[in-house]
Coordinates of all heavy atoms in Angstrom, one line a residue:
M9 N 18.3 -20.1 9.6 CA 18.9 -18.8 9.7 C 17.8 -17.8 10.1 O 16.7 -17.8 9.4 CB 19.5 -18.4 8.4 CG 20.2 -17.0 8.4 SD 21.0 -16.6 6.8 CE 22.1 -17.8 6.5
D10 N 18.0 -17.0 11.1 CA 16.9 -16.0 11.5 C 17.0 -14.8 10.6 O 18.0 -14.6 9.9 CB 17.0 -15.7 13.0 CG 18.2 -14.9 13.4 OD1 19.1 -14.7 12.6 OD2 18.3 -14.5 14.5
K11 N 16.0 -13.9 10.7 CA 15.9 -12.8 9.9 C 17.1 -11.8 10.1 O 17.7 -11.3 9.1 CB 14.6 -12.0 10.2 CG 14.3 -10.9 9.3 CD 12.9 -10.4 9.7 CE 12.5 -9.2 9.0 NZ 11.2 -8.7 9.3
R12 N 17.6 -11.6 11.3 CA 18.7 -10.7 11.6 C 20.0 -11.3 10.9 O 20.7 -10.5 10.3 CB 19.0 -10.6 13.0 CG 18.1 -9.6 13.7 CD 18.5 -9.3 15.2 NE 19.7 -9.8 15.6 CZ 19.9 -10.7 16.6 NH1 18.9 -11.1 17.3 NH2 21.1 -11.1 17.0
Q13 N 20.2 -12.6 10.9 CA 21.4 -13.1 10.3 C 21.3 -13.0 8.8 O 22.3 -12.7 8.1 CB 21.5 -14.6 10.7 CG 22.7 -15.3 10.1 CD 24.0 -14.7 10.7 OE1 24.1 -14.2 11.8 NE2 25.1 -14.8 9.8
L14 N 20.1 -13.2 8.2 CA 19.9 -13.1 6.8 C 20.2 -11.7 6.3 O 20.9 -11.5 5.3 CB 18.5 -13.5 6.4 CG 18.1 -13.4 5.0 CD1 19.0 -14.3 4.1 CD2 16.7 -13.8 4.8
I15 N 19.7 -10.7 7.1 CA 19.9 -9.3 6.7 C 21.4 -9.0 6.8 O 22.0 -8.3 5.9 CB 19.1 -8.4 7.6 CG1 17.6 -8.5 7.3 CG2 19.6 -6.9 7.5 CD1 16.7 -7.7 8.2
F16 N 22.1 -9.5 7.8 CA 23.5 -9.3 8.0 C 24.3 -9.9 6.7 O 25.2 -9.3 6.2 CB 24.1 -10.0 9.2 CG 25.6 -10.0 9.4 CD1 26.2 -8.8 9.8 CD2 26.3 -11.1 9.1 CE1 27.6 -8.8 9.9 CE2 27.7 -11.1 9.2 CZ 28.3 -9.9 9.6
E17 N 23.9 -11.1 6.4 CA 24.6 -11.8 5.2 C 24.3 -11.0 3.9 O 25.2 -10.9 3.1 CB 24.1 -13.2 5.1 CG 24.5 -14.1 6.2 CD 25.9 -14.4 6.3 OE1 26.6 -14.4 5.3 OE2 26.4 -14.7 7.4
L18 N 23.1 -10.5 3.8 CA 22.8 -9.7 2.6 C 23.6 -8.4 2.6 O 24.1 -8.0 1.5 CB 21.3 -9.4 2.5 CG 20.4 -10.6 2.2 CD1 19.0 -10.3 2.4 CD2 20.6 -11.0 0.7
R19 N 23.8 -7.8 3.7 CA 24.5 -6.6 3.8 C 26.0 -6.8 3.5 O 26.7 -6.0 2.9 CB 24.4 -5.9 5.2 CG 23.0 -5.3 5.4 CD 22.9 -4.6 6.7 NE 21.6 -4.1 7.0 CZ 21.2 -2.8 6.6 NH1 22.1 -2.1 6.0 NH2 20.0 -2.4 6.9
M20 N 26.5 -8.0 3.9 CA 27.9 -8.3 3.5 C 28.1 -8.5 2.0 O 29.0 -8.0 1.4 CB 28.3 -9.6 4.3 CG 28.4 -9.4 5.8 SD 29.6 -8.2 6.3 CE 31.1 -8.9 5.9
E21 N 27.1 -9.1 1.4 CA 27.1 -9.3 0.0 C 27.0 -7.9 -0.7 O 27.7 -7.7 -1.7 CB 25.9 -10.2 -0.5 CG 25.8 -10.4 -2.0 CD 27.0 -11.2 -2.5 OE1 27.7 -11.9 -1.8 OE2 27.2 -11.1 -3.8
I22 N 26.1 -7.0 -0.2 CA 26.0 -5.7 -0.7 C 27.4 -4.9 -0.7 O 27.8 -4.3 -1.6 CB 24.9 -4.9 0.0 CG1 23.5 -5.4 -0.4 CG2 25.0 -3.4 -0.3 CD1 22.4 -5.0 0.5
A23 N 28.1 -5.1 0.5 CA 29.4 -4.4 0.6 C 30.4 -5.0 -0.4 O 31.2 -4.2 -1.0 CB 29.9 -4.7 2.0
A24 N 30.3 -6.3 -0.7 CA 31.2 -6.9 -1.6 C 30.9 -6.4 -3.1 O 31.9 -6.1 -3.8 CB 31.1 -8.4 -1.6
V25 N 29.7 -6.2 -3.4 CA 29.3 -5.7 -4.7 C 29.7 -4.3 -4.8 O 30.3 -3.9 -5.9 CB 27.8 -5.9 -5.0 CG1 27.4 -5.2 -6.3 CG2 27.4 -7.4 -5.0
R26 N 29.5 -3.5 -3.8 CA 29.9 -2.1 -3.9 C 31.4 -2.0 -4.0 O 31.9 -1.1 -4.8 CB 29.5 -1.4 -2.6 CG 28.0 -1.1 -2.6 CD 27.6 -0.4 -1.3 NE 26.2 0.1 -1.4 CZ 25.5 0.4 -0.3 NH1 26.0 0.3 0.9 NH2 24.2 0.8 -0.5
Q27 N 32.2 -2.8 -3.4 CA 33.6 -2.8 -3.5 C 34.0 -3.2 -4.9 O 34.9 -2.6 -5.5 CB 34.3 -3.8 -2.5 CG 35.8 -3.7 -2.5 CD 36.3 -2.3 -2.1 OE1 35.9 -1.7 -1.1 NE2 37.2 -1.7 -2.9
A28 N 33.4 -4.2 -5.5 CA 33.7 -4.6 -6.8 C 33.4 -3.4 -7.8 O 34.1 -3.2 -8.8 CB 32.8 -5.8 -7.2
L29 N 32.3 -2.7 -7.6 CA 32.0 -1.5 -8.4 C 33.1 -0.4 -8.3 O 33.5 0.2 -9.2 CB 30.6 -1.0 -8.1 CG 29.5 -1.8 -8.6 CD1 28.2 -1.3 -7.9 CD2 29.4 -1.7 -10.1
R30 N 33.6 -0.2 -7.0 CA 34.6 0.8 -6.8 C 35.9 0.4 -7.5 O 36.7 1.2 -8.0 CB 34.9 1.0 -5.3 CG 33.9 1.8 -4.6 CD 34.4 2.2 -3.2 NE 34.4 1.1 -2.3 CZ 33.3 0.7 -1.6 NH1 32.2 1.3 -1.7 NH2 33.4 -0.3 -0.8
D31 N 36.2 -0.9 -7.6 CA 37.4 -1.5 -8.2 C 37.2 -1.8 -9.7 O 38.2 -2.3 -10.3 CB 37.9 -2.7 -7.4 CG 38.2 -2.4 -6.0 OD1 38.5 -1.3 -5.7 OD2 38.3 -3.4 -5.2
S32 N 36.1 -1.5 -10.2 CA 35.8 -2.0 -11.6 C 36.7 -1.4 -12.6 O 37.1 -2.2 -13.5 CB 34.3 -1.6 -11.9 OG 34.2 -0.2 -12.0
E33 N 37.2 -0.2 -12.5 CA 38.1 0.3 -13.5 C 39.4 -0.4 -13.4 O 40.0 -0.8 -14.4 CB 38.2 1.8 -13.3 CG 39.0 2.5 -14.5 CD 39.0 4.0 -14.3 OE1 38.0 4.6 -13.9 OE2 40.0 4.6 -14.7
D34 N 40.0 -0.5 -12.2 CA 41.2 -1.2 -12.0 C 41.2 -2.6 -12.4 O 42.2 -3.2 -12.9 CB 41.7 -1.1 -10.6 CG 42.0 0.3 -10.1 OD1 42.3 1.2 -11.0 OD2 42.0 0.6 -8.9
A35 N 40.0 -3.3 -12.3 CA 39.9 -4.7 -12.6 C 39.6 -4.9 -14.1 O 39.6 -6.0 -14.6 CB 38.8 -5.3 -11.8
G36 N 39.3 -3.8 -14.8 CA 39.1 -3.8 -16.2 C 37.7 -4.5 -16.6 O 37.6 -5.2 -17.6
L37 N 36.8 -4.3 -15.7 CA 35.4 -4.8 -16.0 C 34.8 -4.2 -17.2 O 35.0 -3.0 -17.4 CB 34.5 -4.7 -14.8 CG 34.9 -5.4 -13.5 CD1 33.9 -5.2 -12.4 CD2 35.1 -6.9 -13.7
T38 N 34.0 -5.0 -17.9 CA 33.3 -4.4 -19.1 C 32.0 -3.7 -18.6 O 31.6 -3.9 -17.5 CB 32.9 -5.6 -20.0 OG1 32.0 -6.4 -19.4 CG2 34.2 -6.4 -20.5
E39 N 31.4 -3.0 -19.5 CA 30.2 -2.3 -19.2 C 29.1 -3.4 -18.9 O 28.3 -3.1 -18.0 CB 29.8 -1.5 -20.4 CG 28.6 -0.6 -20.1 CD 28.3 0.3 -21.3 OE1 29.2 0.8 -21.9 OE2 27.1 0.5 -21.6
V40 N 29.1 -4.5 -19.5 CA 28.1 -5.5 -19.3 C 28.3 -6.1 -17.8 O 27.3 -6.3 -17.1 CB 28.2 -6.7 -20.3 CG1 27.4 -7.9 -19.9 CG2 27.8 -6.2 -21.7
Q41 N 29.6 -6.3 -17.4 CA 29.8 -6.8 -16.1 C 29.4 -5.8 -15.0 O 28.9 -6.1 -14.0 CB 31.3 -7.1 -15.9 CG 31.7 -8.3 -16.7 CD 33.2 -8.5 -16.8 OE1 34.0 -7.5 -17.0 NE2 33.7 -9.7 -16.5
I42 N 29.7 -4.5 -15.3 CA 29.3 -3.4 -14.4 C 27.8 -3.4 -14.3 O 27.2 -3.3 -13.2 CB 29.9 -2.1 -14.8 CG1 31.4 -2.1 -14.6 CG2 29.3 -0.9 -14.0 CD1 32.2 -1.0 -15.2
D43 N 27.1 -3.5 -15.4 CA 25.6 -3.5 -15.4 C 25.1 -4.6 -14.6 O 24.1 -4.5 -13.8 CB 25.1 -3.5 -16.8 CG 25.2 -2.2 -17.6 OD1 25.5 -1.2 -16.9 OD2 25.0 -2.3 -18.8
G44 N 25.7 -5.8 -14.7 CA 25.3 -7.0 -13.9 C 25.5 -6.7 -12.4 O 24.7 -7.1 -11.6
L45 N 26.6 -6.1 -12.0 CA 26.8 -5.8 -10.6 C 25.8 -4.8 -10.1 O 25.3 -4.9 -9.0 CB 28.2 -5.2 -10.4 CG 29.4 -6.2 -10.5 CD1 30.7 -5.4 -10.5 CD2 29.3 -7.2 -9.4
L46 N 25.5 -3.8 -10.9 CA 24.4 -2.8 -10.5 C 23.1 -3.5 -10.4 O 22.3 -3.2 -9.4 CB 24.4 -1.7 -11.6 CG 25.6 -0.7 -11.6 CD1 25.5 0.2 -12.8 CD2 25.7 0.1 -10.3
E47 N 22.7 -4.4 -11.3 CA 21.5 -5.1 -11.1 C 21.5 -5.9 -9.9 O 20.5 -6.0 -9.2 CB 21.3 -6.0 -12.4 CG 20.9 -5.3 -13.6 CD 20.8 -6.2 -14.8 OE1 20.5 -7.4 -14.6 OE2 20.9 -5.7 -15.9
R48 N 22.6 -6.6 -9.6 CA 22.7 -7.4 -8.4 C 22.5 -6.6 -7.1 O 21.8 -6.9 -6.2 CB 24.0 -8.2 -8.3 CG 24.3 -9.0 -7.1 CD 24.5 -10.4 -7.4 NE 24.8 -11.2 -6.2 CZ 23.9 -12.0 -5.7 NH1 22.8 -12.2 -6.3 NH2 24.2 -12.7 -4.6
L49 N 23.2 -5.4 -7.1 CA 23.1 -4.5 -6.0 C 21.7 -4.0 -5.8 O 21.2 -4.0 -4.7 CB 24.0 -3.3 -6.3 CG 24.1 -2.2 -5.2 CD1 24.6 -2.8 -3.9 CD2 25.0 -1.1 -5.6
S50 N 21.0 -3.7 -6.8 CA 19.6 -3.2 -6.8 C 18.7 -4.4 -6.2 O 17.9 -4.1 -5.3 CB 19.1 -2.8 -8.1 OG 17.8 -2.5 -8.1
Y51 N 18.9 -5.6 -6.7 CA 18.2 -6.7 -6.2 C 18.4 -7.0 -4.7 O 17.4 -7.1 -4.0 CB 18.6 -7.9 -7.0 CG 18.0 -9.3 -6.6 CD1 16.7 -9.6 -6.9 CD2 18.8 -10.2 -6.0 CE1 16.2 -10.8 -6.6 CE2 18.3 -11.4 -5.6 CZ 17.0 -11.7 -5.9 OH 16.5 -12.9 -5.5
L52 N 19.7 -6.9 -4.3 CA 20.0 -7.2 -2.9 C 19.4 -6.1 -2.0 O 18.9 -6.4 -0.9 CB 21.5 -7.3 -2.7 CG 22.1 -8.5 -3.3 CD1 23.7 -8.3 -3.3 CD2 21.7 -9.8 -2.6
L53 N 19.5 -4.9 -2.4 CA 19.0 -3.7 -1.6 C 17.5 -3.9 -1.5 O 16.9 -3.6 -0.4 CB 19.3 -2.4 -2.3 CG 20.8 -2.0 -2.1 CD1 21.1 -0.8 -3.0 CD2 21.2 -1.7 -0.7
E54 N 16.8 -4.3 -2.5 CA 15.3 -4.5 -2.4 C 15.0 -5.6 -1.4 O 14.0 -5.4 -0.7 CB 14.8 -4.8 -3.8 CG 13.3 -4.9 -3.9 CD 12.5 -3.6 -3.5 OE1 13.1 -2.5 -3.7 OE2 11.3 -3.7 -3.2
I55 N 15.7 -6.6 -1.5 CA 15.4 -7.7 -0.5 C 15.6 -7.2 0.9 O 14.8 -7.5 1.8 CB 16.4 -8.9 -0.8 CG1 16.0 -9.6 -2.1 CG2 16.2 -10.0 0.4 CD1 17.0 -10.7 -2.5
V56 N 16.7 -6.5 1.2 CA 16.9 -6.0 2.5 C 15.8 -5.1 2.9 O 15.3 -5.1 4.1 CB 18.3 -5.4 2.7 CG1 18.5 -4.6 4.0 CG2 19.4 -6.4 2.5
R57 N 15.4 -4.2 2.0 CA 14.4 -3.2 2.3 C 13.1 -3.9 2.7 O 12.5 -3.6 3.7 CB 14.1 -2.3 1.1 CG 13.1 -1.2 1.4 CD 12.8 -0.4 0.2 NE 12.0 -1.1 -0.8 CZ 10.7 -1.4 -0.7 NH1 10.0 -1.0 0.3 NH2 10.1 -2.1 -1.7
K58 N 12.7 -5.0 2.0 CA 11.5 -5.7 2.3 C 11.6 -6.5 3.6 O 10.6 -6.5 4.4 CB 11.2 -6.7 1.2 CG 10.6 -5.9 0.0 CD 10.2 -6.9 -1.1 CE 9.8 -6.2 -2.3 NZ 8.4 -5.8 -2.4
L59 N 12.8 -7.0 3.9 CA 13.0 -7.7 5.2 C 12.9 -6.8 6.4 O 12.5 -7.2 7.5 CB 14.3 -8.5 5.2 CG 14.4 -9.7 4.3 CD1 15.8 -10.2 4.3 CD2 13.5 -10.8 4.9
E60 N 13.4 -5.5 6.2 CA 13.4 -4.6 7.3 C 12.0 -3.9 7.5 O 11.9 -3.2 8.5 CB 14.5 -3.5 7.0 CG 15.9 -4.1 7.2 CD 17.0 -3.1 7.0 OE1 16.8 -2.1 6.2 OE2 18.0 -3.3 7.6
E61 N 11.1 -4.1 6.6 CA 9.8 -3.5 6.8 C 9.0 -4.0 8.0 O 9.1 -5.2 8.3 CB 8.9 -3.7 5.5 CG 9.3 -2.8 4.4 CD 8.5 -3.0 3.2 OE1 7.7 -4.0 3.1 OE2 8.5 -2.2 2.3

């Protein structure tokens, strides 16, 4: 997988995590689950940032 494809895949995962956060109240997610999603989002964003440097 080349760098562009990897960044694309990471951005798709970021979009999915963001959607899960938007839907968190309707889905009845706990605070711990939301914190986990926020940590995952932060982690993915950092990876993309480093790849784009």
Side-chain angles (χ1 to χ4, degrees):
M9 180 181 302
D10 70 354
K11 189 174 172 179
R12 277 186 15 236
Q13 182 65 29
L14 179 57
I15 290 171
F16 173 79
E17 294 294 331
L18 288 167
R19 288 181 184 271
M20 294 301 291
E21 179 68 20
I22 288 167
V25 172
R26 285 180 172 160
Q27 186 62 49
L29 286 167
R30 282 192 290 273
D31 296 340
S32 64
E33 189 173 324
D34 293 338
L37 296 182
T38 66
E39 188 174 320
V40 171
Q41 290 170 313
I42 292 170
D43 287 346
L45 287 170
L46 290 170
E47 285 177 26
R48 176 122 178 108
L49 182 60
S50 178
Y51 175 76
L52 292 168
L53 288 169
E54 182 65 21
I55 292 171
V56 169
R57 186 185 66 78
K58 287 185 184 267
L59 286 170
E60 290 180 332
E61 287 181 344

